[in-house]
Amino acid sequence: MAAGSAIQIPSRLPLLLTHESVLLPGSTMRTSVDSPRNMQLVRSRLLKGTSLRSTIIGVIPNTSDPTSDCDDLPNLHRIGTAALAVQVVGSNWPKPHYTLLVTGLCRFQVLQLLKEKPYPVAEVQQLDRLEQFTNGHKSEEELGELSEQFYKYAVQLVELLDMSVPAVAKLRRLLDNLPREALPDILTSIIRTTNQEKLQILDAVRLEERFKMTIPLLVRQIEGLKLLQKTRKSKQDDDKRIVAIRPNRRISHGSMTEDEEEEEDYDDVVMLEKKIRTSSMSEQALKVCLKEIKRLKKMPQSMPEYALTRNYLELMVELPWNKSTKDRLEIRAARIVLDNDHYAMEKLKKRVLEYLAVRQLKNNLKGPILCFVGPPGVGKTSVGRSIAKTLGREFHRIALGGVCDQSDIRGHRRTYVGSMPGRIINGLKTVGVNNPVFLLDEVDKLAKSLQGDPAAALLEVLDPEQNHSFTDHYLNVAFDLSQVLFIATANTTATIPPALLDRMEVIQVPGYTQEEKLEIAHRHLIPKQLELHGLTPQQIQIPQVTTLGIITRYTREAGVRALDRKLGAICRAVAVKVAEGQHKEAKPDRAEVGEGEDCKEHITEDVKPESISDAADLALPPEMPILIDFHALKDILGPPMYDMEVSGRLSQPGVAIGLAWTPLGGEIMFVEASRMDGEGQLTLTGQLGDVMKESAHLAISWLRSNAKRYQLTNASGSFDLLDNTDIHLHFPAGAVTKDGPSAGVTIVTCLASLFSGRLVCSDVAMTGEITLRGLVLPVGGIKDKVLAAHRAGLKRIIIPQRNEKDLEEIAAHVRQELSFVLAGCLEEVLNAAFDGGFAAQARHEHLNSKL
Ligand code: ADP
């Protein structure tokens, strides 16, 4: 642009309609070209022309919706800015899209629209004198004080910024060099203003008016910057640029909707402050909150910290600092609740009552944390819930399975993006009282990771000496957890970190016997499922034999969860029949009961009510109650999943039944062995741990050294068992990792059977560790193992002699149905495992020598 000459803009201008922003003279704007009209303008006027710089277009702020731009031309704003198109960037592929850089020159007024399509062209009248912008012509006299005042504010604003930033220094120089008349437009486009405000400035054609309107905006920005600097002293570098802040509410009194919103927000902050003052939080917390609310009041809402601080304060107000439920502990009532909710589990219930009784007498909760350890589905969680019920406390379950980040327990620091409190504080917020029962579920499944050890964080939570001042990283103030009653559950103690285990009192919850399961099903599970499915005992009848059938043939578990699910499936199927039947007229005649092959001997001979399978004929509504017999069971649940496979698998030498313990309860385990020609190698399969492999080697060594005594020979009749012979031992299920010494006796028995060619009794199961000299050492998990053997229908169980004491824990009726052999050495094991004993020919000599 040539300086000094009064430049005239053309009287006809193509018009660019902008949607998101308002271009003011003296400023530059990048605008995205996406509407068809603007696209046409760019294509035909800017891209085809020879020189871009010569292209002057009219930019009309058009705040209407861009989509309405398609058909009729919207009502155009009267005043626009003539602009130089400086740059067009973009591409035609995959979709034409351009970005246009324009510099505002001067205001113009649309006199007449000459054409609308393909892009609008209008006859315009120039409003500002262009030379104002180009020469250093001063006109202070015309504007007098107003311009001086504006200049001062502008200087003040720039001085609030960091002069070391080149852009700021340049701005400072510009303030002196530019004609004063140009300043209102330029500064308005720099500082934070709404489009509405910019539009007002654009419409202020008279210079004086423009100055008057811009000064409050400038003052507002200055105030905002000052506040920002005060509140964020520590983050000074953020202020080094012109920070876009929202107008300060104390200065803007406009009637814009944004202001109204802010007014509302401000009211909220006042309310929040009131809540903080009236809440019963600790003194320390109150102090922190008041400090934060003070900061919040001064903080522009657009700052990310605003929302963070607000969330923090809202959480602080919501936390139950002093709110608690009243304990109504009465031991007799507690006993009734526990007995009503749970069948069996006598030991657990006894210990829980003791615990509660001590709490009642001592009136405080200091003491070990209870930790229920047992297989899934044995009612650990549900006992926790009952404890909360007896105490009249809120109950909250915190699942810890797979938690590997200590911030999960303790929260994230508030400096962290997306920070939040830990599960303990979150739980307290959810229950709304400070003395709930917290069930820490699956503490054995905590994991360690790079993000720290959650178990270590739990230590502080669970330690009664420390937890009165538990500090969550997010809260950053202490919260008293001493009133919370913590109960933990786990499947095994093996994976609980020792320090954590040390703070807890472990109560073992073993699996159930079949009889217990039967009772639990009929007393608790079936009524619960009926209610859940909207059924009544008049509509469905599940006899005990059917339940027993489900327990033995459709589930194999220590707890009752799968049983519960199967009962649920039956109820669903019956619900369909009942619902269908309700639409049919009841008919007096009844279909006959079908007699499937798989109806077992248990089925009651004269089945009166109709079986569900017969009710399949929709023409006949089912007769109530629908009886669930084996026939119906097969229809609903499919063929039985588990069979008593025991006898079939022991039909050849080289198989023995061992007993294993897993976190899911006891299991029976078939150990198989075979031999073949080879070079004396032992192959072990079934994902065995080192201890188990060693047991296998021990067993082979013991058998080799005793081969003569027991007349054990290899295929060629030699007492050297491994001579020209390979042995393969396999432990199903092959996909499950196994370890531990307790399979020792089973391996010996299995190999003794292989080399002697005799069958192991099919109803014998065994467990026990062995030594090289043939002693049998005690092992763990006897109760679970015995229950598993009982479930599988085995009759004789060989256990180490020193495990005799563990038998006391087993219910009397289970003990009666089983015969136990207490073995101190392998000789006794072998004698018990084979029909007619396992005496050897050479035994006499040996015994004699021993005597
Ligand atoms: P866990 O926490 O040990 O995995 P749950 O407490 O979730 O098991 O129990 C599973 C289901 O079995 C629950 O519905 C519970 O009511 C039921 N249940 C388990 N044991 C008993 C019992 N002894 N008496 C009554 N219901 C029981």
Side-chain angles (χ1 to χ4, degrees), residues 53 251 276 293 312 360 442 691 816:
R53 287 194 66 81
I251 295 158
I276 290 171
I293 197 107
Y312 171 74
Q360 188 185 355
E442 322 270 21
V691 181
Q816 274 165 14

Side-chain angles (χ1 to χ4, degrees), residues 556 641-651 657 668 670 762 792:
R556 183 158 288 179
M641 289 166 164
Y642 304 102
D643 255 331
M644 291 300 158
E645 43 175 0
V646 177
S647 50
R649 292 186 67 167
L650 286 171
S651 56
I657 304 172
I668 63 164
F670 290 90
S762 58

